């Protein structure tokens, strides 16, 4: 992984304002991991992509994740701090594994969802339809009694088994954790959305950085590039002096 400079992160943030979340994640990883080609990045399973993003997030903001979640029963806002290690699943999955499922004379060969599949469902707000599109893209071959069949012809239980097999093969794709509400004692499981969490952090950081640049530029007449060349410590010390 190469360390990203502040100007590069600001550029990625600015581009991210008009990108789909998966596109922004790809652009970010492409800058941080120049050794991975575009094809390879888009072909990473969602879990593998999340692993790279977690590592990058640790580099950018550390291992603590400040989260806010509303209790689904009493709506109380819960604030908690997770650690990136709480979300990491120790798994070493091979690149683009082909999964097999044989049941009731059906035979399926399929792969794990990747960012190319997320691109496919851009603009589709109907969740069951989006899911169907992803499954259809991941299904490489389906046979019933040795005859080819389509995804529409598969029984619901078989499709569910296919999804479960995908989840088991790529556990980092859906990072779940248990929660308990101190107000109403409700317990539930929720998913951690790596991309939107990281995006919100970068967005907050970028807007604060621009405010700091504005403050220093107004006070000293320096250009943006000059201010960004200051070490974080010196930038903060000058900000303290301006704000005294
Ligand atoms: Zn509650």
């Amino acid at each position: 992984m190469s360390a990203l400079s502040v100007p590069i992160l600001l550029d990625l943030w600015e581009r991210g304002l008009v990108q789909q979340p998966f596109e922004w994640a790809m652009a970010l990883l492409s800058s941080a991991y120049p050794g991975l080609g575009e094809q390879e990045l888009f072909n990473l399973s969602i879990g593998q992509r999340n692993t790279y993003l977690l590592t990058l997030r640790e580099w950018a903001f550390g291992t603590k994740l400040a989260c806010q979640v509303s209790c689904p029963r009493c709506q109380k806002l819960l604030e908690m701090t997770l650690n990136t290690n709480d979300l990491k699943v120790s798994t070493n999955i091979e690149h683009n594994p082909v999964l097999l499922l044989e049941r009731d004379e059906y035979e399926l060969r399929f792969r794990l969802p990747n960012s190319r599949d997320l691109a496919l469902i851009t603009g589709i707000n109907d969740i069951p339809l989006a899911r169907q599109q992803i499954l259809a893209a991941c299904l490489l071959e389906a046979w019933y009694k040795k005859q080819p069949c389509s995804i529409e012809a598969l029984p619901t239980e078989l499709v569910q088994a296919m999804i479960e097999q995908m989840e088991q093969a790529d556990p980092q794709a859906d990072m779940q954790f248990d929660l308990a509400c101190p107000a109403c004692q409700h317990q539930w499981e929720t998913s951690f959305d790596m991309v939107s969490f990281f995006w919100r952090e970068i967005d907050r950081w970028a807007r604060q950085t621009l405010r700091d640049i504005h403050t220093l530029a107004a006070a000293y007449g320096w250009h943006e590039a000059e201010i960004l060349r200051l070490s974080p410590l010196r930038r903060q010390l000058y900000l303290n002096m301006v704000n005294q």
Side-chain angles (χ1 to χ4, degrees):
M1 194 187 95
S2 23
L4 299 177
S5 67
V6 172
I8 288 177
L9 266 181
L10 283 175
D11 279 348
L12 287 163
W13 164 74
E14 192 178 348
R15 280 157 55 196
L17 292 170
V18 292
Q19 284 174 322
Q20 294 291 326
F22 80 89
E23 285 180 293
W24 172 74
M26 288 293 103
L28 188 64
L29 291 181
S30 172
S31 295
Y33 298 93
L36 291 174
E38 190 179 326
Q39 288 273 359
E40 206 177 334
L41 269 176
F42 270 83
N43 286 339
L44 290 175
S45 72
I46 301 304
Q48 289 170 322
R49 179 205 68 176
N50 285 346
T51 303
Y52 280 108
L53 286 173
L54 263 176
T55 305
L56 189 53
R57 195 290 179 177
E58 285 175 342
W59 167 80
F61 299 119
T63 54
K64 288 188 178 157
L65 308 140
C67 305
Q68 289 186 329
V69 185
S70 289
C71 170
R73 188 192 279 168
C74 74
Q75 318 308 325
K76 183 181 164 61
L77 188 67
L78 311 183
E79 295 188 357
M80 77 212 76
T81 304
L82 296 177
N83 194 288
T84 46
N85 284 332
D86 301 336
L87 298 170
K88 282 184 192 162
V89 185
S90 64
T91 176
N92 241 338
I93 66 167
E94 56 176 306
H95 271 279
N96 303 322
V98 173
L99 306 175
L100 304 171
L101 178 59
E102 289 181 29
R103 188 180 291 186
D104 303 331
E105 301 198 61
Y106 283 96
E107 289 176 53
L108 308 184
R109 283 179 72 248
F110 52 99
R111 61 168 176 79
L112 294 173
N114 58 35
S115 299
R116 217 172 283 291
D117 302 317
L118 299 184
L120 202 71
I121 56 162
T122 299
I124 301 179
N125 296 320
D126 179 338
I127 291 173
L129 177 65
R131 196 178 74 155
Q132 182 78 0
Q133 296 250 5
I134 289 183
L135 291 174
C138 291
L139 187 63
L140 304 171
E141 279 180 311
W143 304 80
Y144 179 59
K145 295 186 174 174
K146 308 291 178 199
Q147 295 296 316
C149 70
S150 68
I151 190 159
E152 290 79 15
L154 300 178
T156 316
E157 311 81 67
L158 194 67
V159 174
Q160 193 52 40
M162 177 181 163
I163 294 170
E164 282 166 18
Q165 203 168 324
M166 284 172 164
E167 287 169 352
Q168 281 165 12
D170 197 22
Q172 199 76 61
D174 186 12
M175 294 182 266
Q176 299 201 328
F177 58 100
D178 296 324
L179 283 171
C181 173
C184 75
Q185 274 71 53
H186 180 54
Q187 296 186 351
W188 74 104
E189 196 176 54
T190 192
S191 290
F192 179 81
D193 185 338
M194 184 67 226
V195 174
S196 62
F197 184 88
F198 200 8
W199 165 257
R200 282 197 301 276
E201 284 186 319
I202 293 270
D203 187 50
R204 266 197 305 274
W205 166 84
R207 289 174 195 275
Q208 183 58 50
T209 303
L210 294 192
R211 276 194 292 276
D212 293 347
I213 292 169
H214 167 76
T215 304
L216 293 178
Y220 296 105
W222 295 336
H223 293 289
E224 184 189 65
E226 289 175 309
I227 295 166
L228 290 179
R229 275 200 296 274
L230 293 171
S231 69
L233 174 68
R234 273 160 69 173
R235 199 192 313 162
Q236 191 54 52
L237 290 173
Y238 282 119
L239 280 168
N240 294 349
M241 285 184 249
V242 172
N243 293 326
Q244 258 171 11

